[in-house]
Amino acid sequence: HKIKTLTMANNLDELRSKVESLAQKITNLKKETPVNKNAIGAAVKELLDAKRTFAENNGGIGVDEKPFEEPLSKAEKKKRAKAEKSAAVKVDASGKQEADPNSSGAAKKAAKKAEAKAKKAALKTAAKGEGGAAATGKPLQVKATTGAKSTPKRMVIPSRSNLQAMNISINPNAPLTERPVAALTVACLTNTINDYSVTSDHKRYSGAALGLPDGRGELVGDSSIARYIARKSDSLVGGNLIGADFELSAIIDSWVDYANALSKFQNIKRVKAVAQTLDRTLKEKTYLVGHTMTLADIALFASLGFPAQAADVAKVESILGTSSSPTVRWMKMIRACPAVREATQIAMGIANDYEAIFDANVSMDPFVNGMNPLEGATMGNVVTRFPPEPSGYLHIGHAKAVLMNEYYARRYKGRLIVRFDDTNPSKEKEEFQSSIIEDLEKLGVTPDVVTFTSDYFETIKGYADYLIENGLAFMDDTPQEEMQKERMDRVNSKHRDQSLEDCKNYFKLLCSGKEEGSKWCLRAKINMQSVNGTMRDPVLFRQNLLPHHRSGTTYKAYPTYDLACPIVDSIEGVTHALRTTEYNDRDEQYQWIQSALKIRRVRIHAFARMNFRYTELSKRKLGWFVENNHVTGWDDARFPTIRGVLRRGVDIEALRTFICSQGASRRIVNMEWSKFWAENKKFIDLRAKRFMAIDKSNNVVLTLTNVSTADNKTFITTDYLPKDASFGKRLIRTYNKVLLEKVDTEDITLGENIVLMRWGVVKITQVEGELQGEYVPDGDFKKAKRKISWMAQVPEQLSATLFEFDNLISKEKLEEDDDFKDFINPNTLASSEAIGDFGLKNLQKNEIIQLERRGYYRVDQPYISKDKGLILFMIPDGKAKAMSGLTGKLAHR
């Protein structure tokens, strides 16, 4: 493929004339009186643009026949001069820097530092000016290398490398076209992207590098890394990418070489050259070579600037002046490929959490505080899953998992799968399955689909057969305790090298349900010498004759979670498996199974589980509390189950906000409930209607001597929410005798002014014997120190039962050796009777209110009759002390 040489002489002459004219214009402007600084500034900007354009069209050489450099600020000039003066650097013929023998050691050091800083600054400038900076999102534009001696990048294998094996290192300041976009695309297409870690390296000045295994050095250059990944994938896709036979491989290589040769040209020139070639080649073809995408397509797409993002597509169309040529059609087809978009996101997201924009008309919501992007995630291509085991009720830890999965699925406009991991008939019940569905509804989570691992039992069994047929699994009858010891001591099972025929027969016996098959299990043949214990030949299948709650007695042997999860994740299209850090060791096993079975790989996104102080989250131990009547059931307000915390008064939006604030952090901490309840208070305070209540057995009567008793059915009105009148008003009964909390009257003095909340000021006129006072119609609220709650002492009083709760566990953090039964709090429930506002009678179940100066409460049982009165559950507010002097019977939370 020949590159047509374009003559730019006429254009350069015109630009040179323009530069000279603008320089003269600036000189004339400076002579004018008064000096017009705005006009001079505009002319200088125009002159700089003209010089830059000249250099871009003249191989980087400026009007003065020297390499063009962007002008420096005064501060930058001063720094450079200082560095040059102190360094006294000479450059020898080989291009190496040699310090002047007369210069000091400090000067040598300063010279090296200045050189490194200059290179880094140049890269940053290129990134900002050419669309490489993640924050800008500008169209891509790559400058031509200066001089005719520039050559395409080639593969280099140094003898030593600081890179870890399978690590791709990228300079985050480099423009997109200098990042390994082709290599990442190949990794995504071959389903091997999970085998590579992509890291940011500010010290890498150009290109990208891949660390090779076994300390063999590193590969440098996008094309070299791409070829390596394709060959190493050992897949049909990888083979097609680089050519299924010698001739196709040679043709593809010639296109890649052509693409590399174009890298010396300035962006506009390069795009036009590519378009001239592609318009001829793709008139009657979809791809450059063959009938599928190859490395040739990827390399030429990179030569166009890798225009996967919407802004870059618009830039290419603008350069070509068309949106319907064969080149543009091909470009839009390539950019629509999910692997190309995933590679773009990985390359751009290496720093600053930048998100690629593929559709200019679709805006992406900003991440809520605490949440981070999913690696490689793109709009519309994210599938998450929440896989609960139906062996108990969901608890607060599960809430974090499901809400994070839902958040990412909705944020990326993807799909959320709720999949019941029902692989163990010994633990699972229909009751638990139904409760999980109900709890998800309570949390406001609506999955796109609900599935069951049991629906895939036959498929999973087929994959187990595949492992056996390929020598990747064996049958073992080693007793459990002995097997555990062998795995700890890294000793191979005596059956590890059994024949294929024996393995198949024993597996058939296991699945038959016969008693002689019960001692056998299927184990993966991985690596008994691995430092990771989960890789030491884990169990994959075991017999269980109990009826399954869905499939009945159809199956007699079931896969373990370790085998079923990676298989079903792959089958159901999960893109990101969110797993807690307790599964970190098992992640390697998860990836091994998918790789061994040659199924689609799933990216793992780890986050820390949510633990709370003074709290037990084990479903088995929580079940013990229920079975031994330490609680009233799984929905007990002292329980950390979803229904338990909701019954305690948790606000769903507060829970979402709190969980998102923890984010996808991998740091495991024991959370304080006080922090959560403080967040919860912010939400419930906005809608909790205010009422008053007085302790039924511990109160004092205050007689108002100047209030008439002729009409004992007088009322005053006040807002339900003092700060939000839109919630309406409530009526408060008044009378000449009112009830006060006894604790509020302690140390009250004669002549003291007190405030009866929502009513007015009362002056105390008698403290000995009966407490008396006078209502002061225009009293000064601010001067009164005591602001107390009250209730009219009338026959039509409404009684309410107030419940308080405390932690079930008395120790802040249970250690592994602790028996939780030794730390059970004997005093976790208390109740008291109160006289409340008559308006409390109209409350509905689950309403949240505030009893002023007492705290927040949730209506657990609304008022039905005198026999079935109002029951309120106190909601913690996160404070160590109550909001007033009114203390409860238990510790305030």
Side-chain angles (χ1 to χ4, degrees), residues 58-69:
N58 193 33
I61 304 301
V63 177
D64 56 359
E65 302 300 328
K66 296 179 181 179
F68 176 76
E69 292 184 356

Side-chain angles (χ1 to χ4, degrees), residues 729-746:
K729 295 183 179 294
R730 80 179 201 263
L731 295 174
I732 302 179
R733 183 80 172 271
T734 61
Y735 193 52
N736 73 324
K737 291 184 181 294
V738 296
L739 301 176
L740 309 180
E741 296 283 358
K742 186 175 181 179
V743 67
D744 287 337
T745 64
E746 293 176 357

Side-chain angles (χ1 to χ4, degrees), residues 681-731:
K681 177 189 172 184
K682 296 177 186 177
F683 286 80
I684 63 175
D685 185 66
L686 299 176
R687 70 172 194 276
K689 294 179 179 180
R690 272 51 169 177
F691 296 91
M692 285 187 285
I694 301 297
D695 192 287
K696 194 171 187 176
S697 60
N698 200 19
N699 59 63
V700 172
V701 178
L702 168 65
T703 302
L704 303 178
T705 56
N706 62 338
V707 173
S708 172
T709 61
D711 183 2
N712 65 357
K713 290 189 177 182
T714 58
F715 296 86
I716 58 174
T717 60
T718 186
D719 292 328
Y720 274 119
L721 263 67
K723 295 181 180 180
D724 190 346
S726 67
F727 277 77
K729 295 183 179 294
R730 80 179 201 263
L731 295 174

Side-chain angles (χ1 to χ4, degrees), residues 442-658:
K442 294 177 188 291
L443 290 174
V445 174
T446 304
D448 294 284
V449 62
V450 176
T451 65
F452 299 84
T453 300
S454 55
D455 291 338
Y456 300 93
F457 280 163
E458 202 62 41
T459 301
I460 297 170
K461 183 175 178 293
Y463 279 115
D465 288 331
Y466 176 89
L467 291 175
I468 292 171
E469 289 285 352
N470 288 272
L472 298 172
F474 66 96
M475 293 297 295
D476 194 8
D477 66 349
T478 303
Q480 185 175 358
E481 291 184 4
E482 185 180 343
M483 185 188 297
Q484 289 177 345
K485 186 177 186 306
E486 286 181 350
R487 294 185 71 193
M488 289 292 291
D489 297 339
R490 308 186 187 189
V491 176
N492 287 348
S493 165
K494 60 185 178 182
H495 295 294
R496 198 173 196 270
D497 297 320
Q498 69 191 175
S499 69
L500 174 60
E501 196 63 32
D502 284 346
C503 187
K504 292 168 71 174
N505 288 336
Y506 286 131
F507 185 61
K508 185 177 181 180
L509 181 64
L510 170 75
C511 296
S512 70
K514 294 180 179 179
E515 185 177 352
E516 53 266 38
S518 62
K519 63 181 180 179
W520 291 91
C521 67
L522 180 69
R523 294 177 65 183
K525 190 185 295 186
I526 307 179
N527 180 9
M528 283 295 287
Q529 304 308 311
S530 174
V531 294
N532 183 347
T534 70
M535 298 294 282
R536 297 175 199 157
D537 298 358
V539 174
L540 303 180
F541 248 89
R542 72 278 192 242
Q543 192 180 93
N544 192 327
L545 300 182
L546 290 175
H548 190 276
H549 72 284
R550 292 189 75 244
S551 60
T553 58
T554 302
Y555 300 97
K556 305 297 190 300
Y558 297 90
T560 61
Y561 177 81
D562 290 337
L563 175 63
C565 183
I567 291 175
V568 182
D569 277 352
S570 181
I571 292 172
E572 292 191 332
V574 173
T575 60
H576 294 78
L578 275 64
R579 289 157 65 100
T580 55
T581 50
E582 63 190 301
Y583 283 95
N584 279 355
D585 287 345
R586 286 186 139 74
D587 289 346
E588 185 180 0
Q589 181 193 100
Y590 177 102
Q591 292 166 345
W592 181 89
I593 289 173
Q594 290 184 342
S595 180
L597 294 174
K598 300 186 185 302
I599 56 180
R600 187 185 61 83
R601 307 284 291 281
V602 177
R603 196 184 297 275
I604 294 174
H605 189 88
F607 66 94
R609 64 176 293 173
M610 192 158 63
N611 297 322
F612 282 93
R613 298 178 184 180
Y614 302 102
T615 305
E616 180 57 66
L617 293 178
S618 164
K619 286 189 286 187
R620 178 181 61 82
K621 295 174 183 177
L622 292 177
W624 181 88
F625 279 94
V626 176
E627 292 163 5
N628 290 274
N629 299 317
H630 286 277
V631 292
T632 58
W634 288 92
D635 64 347
D636 192 292
R638 293 164 290 182
F639 247 22
T641 54
I642 296 296
R643 50 191 60 200
V645 296
L646 291 178
R647 195 176 178 198
R648 185 78 177 267
V650 167
D651 179 87
I652 297 299
E653 287 306 311
L655 181 61
R656 287 178 181 273
T657 301
F658 181 78

Side-chain angles (χ1 to χ4, degrees), residues 774-836:
E774 294 180 351
Y775 176 69
V776 184
D778 298 319
D780 190 340
F781 283 72
K782 294 182 179 180
K783 289 185 178 180
K785 294 182 179 179
R786 298 177 194 248
K787 295 177 176 59
I788 57 181
S789 48
W790 57 278
M791 289 300 304
Q793 189 184 34
V794 293
E796 301 87 358
Q797 293 173 339
L798 179 72
S799 295
T801 304
L802 312 181
F803 280 92
E804 305 168 52
F805 306 95
D806 204 351
N807 300 317
L808 290 169
I809 301 295
S810 60
K811 187 176 182 180
E812 181 177 307
K813 181 184 177 183
L814 294 176
E815 304 298 335
E816 288 186 11
D817 296 335
D818 287 338
D819 184 347
F820 75 97
K821 298 174 188 176
D822 297 333
F823 301 96
I824 295 176
N825 186 354
N827 190 24
T828 60
L829 178 65
S831 65
S832 57
E833 297 296 320
I835 301 170

Side-chain angles (χ1 to χ4, degrees), residues 21 113 121 127 234 297 427 544 568 643 654 681 770 816 822 839 873:
S21 174
K113 187 175 180 182
D234 189 28
D297 296 284
K427 296 181 179 180
N544 192 327
V568 182
R643 50 191 60 200
K681 177 189 172 184
E770 182 183 7
E816 288 186 11
D822 297 333
F873 282 6

